[in-house]
Amino acid sequence: MSKKSKVDHGKMTKRQWTWHMMKRYKIGYIMIAPFMLLFFFFTIIPVIASLLVGFTDYNMLEVPNWVWFDNYITLFLDDELFITALQNTMIFAVLVGPASFILSFVVAWFINELSPRTRSIVTLIFYAPSISGGAYTIFGYIFASDSYGLVNGWLLKFGFIDSPILFFTDVKWIMPLCVAIALWMSLGTSFLSFVAGLQGIDRSQFEAAAVDGITNRWQELWYVTLPNMKPQLIFGSVMSITNSFGFGGVVTALAGNPSTDYVAYTISHHIEEYGGARMEIGYSSAISFILFLIMITANSFIVKLLSKVGE
Amino acid sequence: MKKLRTRNHSVVLNRSAGGDAGITFFLVILGVIMFLPLYYTVMQSFKPLDELFYYPPRFYVINPTWDNFSDLFKLMSESWVPFSRYIFNTVFITVAGVFGNLVLSSLCAYALAKVPFPGNGFFFQLIQKSLMFSSSVGGIIVFIIIAKMGWMDNLASIIVPAWCSTLGLYLMKQFMDTNVTTAVLESARLDGASEFRTFWSIAMPMVKPAWLTLIIYSFQGLWNSGASIYIYSEDLKTLNYAMTQVLTAGIARSGASAASGVIMMLVPILVFVVSQSQIIETMGSSGMKD
């Protein structure tokens, strides 16, 4: 809270004081009410509800029964597809999350000393894929499964292969391609945040460091840049991680759902399958809640880790 | 490793020529990789049919043509809903969604940043935590809520949830923390201005970059909204949906597909080009403290 009140509250109990402040600044509650009401409705309540509904066998037709942990037990012991989805989601997140975070930072760091004009053009080039909507569908043509596909065409031409590779149906290729495409699209909000954060560091700090005997970029990065960037790094990591766990739409668009042998089947797909197609609301709520827990845990862990940078 | 000093003796940072070359090399290679797919989309969209099916495929177009674009529009106007209807829906969703999100978020961000009511910090923590999971987590329950509200097959099902998207609010609150000094607000309050008045005529003009950033984030999400599980009437579908629909016919329509890709990416990219410096300014205060 940014402001100290001038009211003498020496004689008031803590509760009286809070009540006094609540009355005095009731306008604050009025101002946040419209947003917060909707936010509770569409974000907070759904999360809490999915925890509760996850303990039932609700299916929209029959009266739900409270089944305690049955859904969770089934998920982990009896649903092989869920384990596959969990594994794939983790693989995506572990590969794409940190890689996109590091890539965003490295690019932002490298372009930091370019002239403002060049920097804004380069920023656009790296940022464009993440905002180009459905532009990733072009990969369907670049990696098309016949000789008119860009990659297959040239591989055939040069004689590396005899017949076209079925990129989005071959289990060997689906996952690596989806990861690569996810990375291509991943220089988004965190990237912009890093670009801005680096610009915001006072140049005199670098000069002071140079006087103090820092001799190369790496030392400068470690002793000056990173500690200054901590808040942006934390924000960027949250953006990257949340993004990498929710991945699923791109897979559906390119490799179909389900993909061959479910190699790129993620938790998002599993939620859709049970919540959308089969209407097993209770079961899919349990899956949703697991995804929620994973995201929150991963984010909190990384935030804790990054807040140690430079300490 | 050389250490340069300029004439006025200010220190010049240590930069090795090898390092500069390595960085430039890395940026060029990576930049080309990032750029090629978008470039190829544009090229494909201008290729005539014989070049689309040329073996081996070319990276560039020899006889550019608008055929793919006119094909796309022809395909889309063949459905029984007039093409303009899809455009109207997308524009309507975007404008209504962005406007609501802007108004509600600004009010909320201002109160969270500058009105010290009890519970202020708790509410902001909630907003910050909400950035740590994607909205898909509550998807099924949201579905039930929307069905119960009677918003099925109604554009409200897309617009209203967009009003409470939290990223824009978060960025605006952080921006206000650093860029709106409490002293300025305090003097307005002492002059007897109401909190709404202070918000509207003092704080809001000071956070224009944050407005713009919020508008752009909100815009990008809504402009790209495609098939929705809530909408089944054809005359309520969006432009993005209509384009993906006509393109499911496969390889024969690869030209038209590229044309639709170009149309969909053109608008967000242009918007970003115009507003880049303001967005970067907003992002300067985006940092998160744990």
Side-chain angles (χ1 to χ4, degrees), chain A residues 225-297:
Chain A
T225 312
L226 285 180
N228 268 296
M229 288 278 294
K230 213 156 86 177
Q232 269 88 4
L233 291 177
I234 293 177
F235 173 68
S237 74
V238 169
M239 290 287 114
S240 295
I241 292 171
T242 309
N243 225 347
S244 65
F245 274 111
F247 197 63
V250 176
V251 180
T252 313
L254 291 172
N257 182 27
S259 42
T260 317
D261 291 348
Y262 294 93
V263 282
Y265 188 80
T266 65
I267 297 187
S268 306
H269 293 128
H270 210 50
I271 297 174
E272 268 168 47
E273 170 72 21
Y274 281 92
R278 305 193 195 187
M279 286 292 171
E280 292 185 28
I281 309 292
Y283 195 66
S284 72
S285 290
I287 310 172
S288 301
F289 196 73
I290 293 175
L291 183 60
F292 168 77
L293 282 184
I294 296 175
M295 285 177 167
I296 284 282
T297 316

Side-chain angles (χ1 to χ4, degrees), chain A residues 46-205:
Chain A
V47 169
I48 297 170
S50 60
L51 170 64
L52 296 177
V53 178
F55 289 126
T56 70
D57 60 0
Y58 186 44
N59 60 7
M60 289 193 112
L61 301 171
E62 295 156 298
V63 179
N65 299 306
W66 193 264
V67 296
W68 289 109
F69 286 93
D70 282 9
N71 287 331
Y72 291 90
I73 295 168
T74 315
L75 274 171
F76 282 101
L77 298 181
D78 231 10
D79 187 347
E80 272 177 51
L81 212 47
F82 171 71
I83 303 297
T84 310
L86 187 64
Q87 270 171 357
N88 288 335
T89 304
M90 289 315 237
I91 294 172
F92 265 125
V94 168
L95 290 176
V96 176
S100 79
F101 176 75
I102 293 169
L103 198 64
S104 296
F105 182 79
V106 168
V107 173
W109 184 45
F110 281 180
I111 67 175
N112 189 39
E113 288 177 11
L114 299 175
S115 72
R117 187 163 203 90
T118 327
R119 192 176 55 236
S120 68
I121 294 168
V122 180
T123 306
L124 175 66
I125 290 175
F126 283 94
Y127 183 61
S130 73
I131 48 168
S132 308
Y136 60 80
T137 43
I138 193 66
F139 288 103
Y141 295 101
I142 292 179
F143 293 102
S145 56
D146 53 35
S147 57
Y148 302 115
L150 189 62
V151 175
N152 272 324
W154 285 97
L155 286 177
L156 283 167
K157 171 85 180 159
F158 286 123
F160 287 119
I161 49 175
D162 301 323
S163 57
I165 301 172
L166 306 173
F167 283 107
F168 287 110
T169 30
D170 186 336
V171 288
K172 276 208 310 276
W173 285 100
I174 295 173
M175 202 60 173
L177 278 177
C178 288
V179 167
I181 293 165
L183 272 177
W184 178 71
M185 298 173 64
S186 72
L187 273 79
T189 307
S190 31
F191 172 61
L192 292 187
S193 173
F194 295 159
V195 170
L198 286 160
Q199 284 300 303
I201 301 175
D202 192 352
R203 216 182 141 73
S204 64
Q205 289 203 33

Side-chain angles (χ1 to χ4, degrees), chain A residues 35 38-39 42-43, chain B residues 92-105 135 142 146 151 155-169 214-215 217-223 225 230:
Chain A
F35 187 96
L38 288 177
F39 175 64
F42 290 109
T43 307
Chain B
F92 181 73
I93 290 171
T94 308
V95 171
V98 168
F99 182 75
N101 187 219
L102 178 65
V103 173
L104 300 192
S105 302
S135 51
V142 172
I146 287 197
W151 286 350
L155 290 181
S157 64
I158 305 177
I159 296 169
V160 177
W163 286 353
C164 60
S165 121
T166 47
L167 183 58
L169 165 63
L214 185 145
I215 290 173
Y217 269 101
S218 192
F219 171 86
Q220 276 164 12
L222 289 159
W223 173 257
S225 56
Y230 306 119

Side-chain angles (χ1 to χ4, degrees), chain A residues 41-42 45-46, chain B residues 140-151:
Chain A
F41 244 96
F42 290 109
I45 293 176
Chain B
I140 301 138
I141 310 293
V142 172
F143 182 88
I144 295 172
I145 291 177
I146 287 197
K148 290 264 186 278
M149 305 271 258
W151 286 350

